Amino acid sequence: MSASSHRIVLLPGDGIGPEIVDACRPVLAAAFPTWEFTDAAIGWGCWRTAGDPIPAETWRALESADAAIMAAITSKPAREAEAELADHLRGTGLTYRSPVLQLRRRLDLYANIRPVEDLLAGAGSPASSLDDGPAPTPSPRFGFTVVRENTEGLYSHDLSMAGPDSNGLWDVVKQDPTVTHSTRADTAVALRVTTGFGWRRLLRTAASLTGRAADPSLRRVTIADKPNILRESGAIIRDAVDEVAAEFPDVDFEIANADAVTMRLITSPMSFDVIAAENLLGDILSDLGAGLMGGLGLPSAANMGDGHAVFEPVHGSAPDIAGRGIADPAAFLMSAAMCAEHLAAGDEGTGASTGGNGAVPDTAGTGGNQASPDTADTGGSSATTGSDLRERAALLRRAVIGVLHDDPTPDLGGDNTTAGFAAEVARRLAS
């Protein structure tokens, strides 16, 4: 197999992040031997010592790389952020801004793609005897993708009414029943920014991901929102849906109340293909999906824009287990596989971004634990560097899923370690 070289920035970050990255370096080197890796600093440690969670040199590395893979980030409220600054930086007017939000804004990573896959389908079932032949592949219980808008929505602006630029907003809210009993210093307003531009590009991304659900008959985008309550912003979304639906005649678009979608995710998850939502609602729905999968140690995500891409596990920095060597590296490795799928699309010239009908990570929303049929052990050869990367991504996925089933870490009821899990994945890749 042949492969082209790609420049990948590794962002170990905080908490369990560095130990996961260190354990997985041999796996990444074995899976993607032509990738050139560069570590870059990000996170809470950078904030505490220098007053900026993303140093200038990290921005330079990200802006010149083909993609980045991030491990874990710590974020804390403003009061704690100020308190944990180095002594010489306290009281200097520095304001902590989430590095994740900074990445999404500055690199315009407008689509957060979170596959919700039944990676544990059949885990713990009794194995078939040799007389019975190979065990049948278990059917997935769910398999869909959440596509979340990253750059606007309710996370856009969170404003204190005590600020100097809040007069106009104060005039809007000052007669609200609870505000009349409050003061400007004791009132804040979060703004939900909704634009047709933002939603059209998000919906095009969502539509290009359809047809990969656990139910292969589906080609549907479900827009999870509250248009019955948020009428003006809901109308903007409705107009965007109508416009994009005309571009994708083979895709069904439905607008559903987000609370009803939440219930359906529990009662009938097989009814979903792709769910599109604004920032806050997408955040909540995707974590519900993580619960279906078995916990935050399993899901991976892609933050995609037209010019940049950052891949990451969904889990946080888990400071309670940091340094104990028991963190689950599965989601980090699955993020690397998603990264490979994204780069394969670029190598094949089929469109590495998710801005329209171009290619997106093929691992998104596949809904099962099977590797792609186009893998190295089928006896075929790679015609392009893109197909080579897809093969390697599929092999990595299959190795990770195998270890999840056979020897998981404590978060899934096993006793494996971070290093042990990664070493077994590397062994399976080499076999």
Side-chain angles (χ1 to χ4, degrees):
M1 293 188 294
S2 62
S4 62
S5 178
H6 293 283
R7 293 166 298 170
I8 308 298
V9 173
L10 294 178
L11 301 167
D14 306 307
I16 60 175
E19 60 199 85
I20 286 177
V21 170
D22 286 344
C24 292
R25 291 183 197 276
V27 181
L28 297 178
F32 310 112
T34 64
W35 285 6
E36 299 174 5
F37 295 101
T38 300
D39 281 24
I42 191 171
W44 199 249
C46 299
W47 164 255
R48 293 179 64 187
T49 58
D52 189 347
I54 308 183
E57 55 268 27
T58 296
W59 284 119
R60 288 192 291 271
L62 290 169
E63 289 166 350
S64 64
D66 294 306
I69 309 173
M70 185 163 59
I73 291 292
T74 293
S75 282
K76 297 184 182 181
R79 187 176 301 175
E80 287 88 337
E82 172 73 17
E84 294 194 27
L85 275 172
D87 291 343
H88 70 283
L89 296 174
R90 292 179 196 166
T92 59
L94 292 171
T95 300
Y96 177 78
R97 295 173 56 226
S98 163
V100 175
L101 294 183
Q102 287 193 59
L103 289 174
R104 292 169 179 172
R105 290 283 187 87
R106 179 161 168 172
L107 301 179
D108 197 24
L109 306 174
Y110 56 84
N112 180 274
I113 300 170
R114 292 194 182 185
V116 180
E117 305 177 82
D118 195 4
L119 300 178
L120 300 181
S125 338
S128 298
S129 69
L130 291 176
D131 293 338
D132 295 332
T137 300
S139 298
R141 298 160 295 178
F142 53 84
F144 55 91
T145 305
V146 178
V147 182
R148 164 186 166 196
E149 210 295 320
N150 260 346
T151 57
E152 54 180 42
L154 199 57
Y155 289 168
S156 300
H157 302 281
D158 188 31
L159 306 170
S160 169
M161 292 299 94
D165 300 322
S166 62
N167 287 336
L169 273 178
W170 177 253
D171 290 340
V172 173
V173 304
K174 66 184 180 183
Q175 297 303 320
D176 286 9
T178 57
V179 178
T180 60
H181 297 281
S182 187
T183 65
R184 294 184 66 146
D186 199 30
T187 304
V189 175
L191 299 179
R192 175 171 126 142
V193 175
T194 306
T195 68
F197 170 79
W199 268 91
R200 285 190 294 272
R201 66 181 184 177
L202 183 78
L203 290 168
R204 292 180 182 117
T205 297
S208 68
L209 282 163
T210 56
R212 303 170 186 177
D215 180 349
S217 69
L218 295 178
R219 288 209 67 189
R220 179 188 301 147
V221 175
T222 301
I223 295 89
D225 203 61
K226 290 293 289 183
N228 56 330
I229 304 298
L230 300 168
R231 296 179 183 274
E232 296 303 322
S233 54
I236 298 291
I237 295 170
R238 163 67 74 179
D239 289 345
V241 170
D242 290 344
E243 182 175 337
V244 175
E247 301 171 13
F248 293 86
D250 296 331
V251 176
D252 295 325
F253 289 80
E254 65 169 349
I255 298 177
N257 285 333
D259 44 354
V261 170
T262 303
M263 182 188 71
R264 284 172 54 197
L265 284 173
I266 300 300
T267 60
S268 55
M270 288 285 287
S271 66
F272 292 103
D273 183 0
V274 177
I275 299 171
E278 66 93 41
N279 218 335
L280 173 64
L281 294 176
D283 199 358
I284 294 169
L285 292 171
S286 55
D287 273 13
L288 193 155
L292 289 175
M293 291 181 67
L296 287 173
L298 292 176
S300 53
N303 296 283
M304 305 288 290
D306 292 333
H308 301 280
V310 177
F311 300 83
E312 60 175 332
V314 172
H315 62 69
S317 59
D320 55 322
I321 63 169
R324 296 172 58 188
I326 59 172
D328 191 341
F332 178 79
L333 291 171
M334 296 295 265
S335 299
M338 290 184 75
C339 180
E341 292 283 358
H342 162 69
L343 295 173
D347 287 348
E348 292 166 345
T350 54
S353 81
T354 62
N357 294 331
V360 290
D362 275 350
T363 55
T366 54
N369 57 8
Q370 291 76 40
S372 162
D374 181 24
T375 53
D377 59 0
T378 61
S381 62
S382 297
T384 68
T385 57
S387 65
D388 172 54
L389 273 178
R390 291 189 190 279
E391 291 172 3
R392 291 181 177 279
L395 290 171
L396 176 58
R397 282 174 50 82
R398 185 158 55 191
V400 171
I401 292 167
V403 182
L404 281 172
H405 282 234
D406 298 340
D407 194 7
T409 45
D411 59 309
L412 297 176
D415 58 6
N416 205 347
T417 63
T418 309
F421 189 107
E424 177 59 17
V425 171
R427 187 193 69 78
R428 294 185 185 210
L429 286 175
S431 63

